[in-house]
Amino acid sequence: MQVTTDKVVTIEYRMTDDEGLVVDTTDNGEPLSIIQGKGRMFPALEAAIEGQEMGNRVSVVLHPEQDY
């Protein structure tokens, strides 16, 4: 199944800073579920997962200007 607008998407993530230190993660916790395309997470991240297939692993680098 592809990730498309209005689909419920569940992701696991690890956010690190420029030095590789973990800032936030779903490790040892609950995955994050969102409705794709509704602005519930960074737009650049929504764009990166759009069209992906279930089970794909995606690496995304977000720059400060790509926040909400």
Side-chain angles (χ1 to χ4, degrees):
M1 177 183 294
Q2 274 193 332
V3 174
T4 58
T5 300
D6 295 327
K7 297 255 174 119
V8 175
V9 179
T10 302
I11 63 172
E12 295 178 342
Y13 68 90
R14 179 175 301 146
M15 184 185 314
T16 59
D17 64 13
D18 288 340
E19 297 169 1
L21 298 173
V22 176
V23 176
D24 194 12
T25 183
T26 57
D27 290 352
N28 303 317
E30 294 295 317
L32 174 68
S33 293
I34 58 104
I35 299 174
Q36 175 70 357
K38 299 298 182 184
R40 308 266 162 122
M41 66 178 158
F42 298 112
L45 185 54
E46 282 191 343
I49 66 171
E50 181 75 19
Q52 295 291 327
E53 294 288 338
M54 184 173 74
N56 283 7
R57 181 177 293 254
V58 178
S59 179
V60 179
V61 175
L62 297 177
H63 301 282
E65 63 275 7
Q66 293 176 297
D67 64 1
Y68 292 103

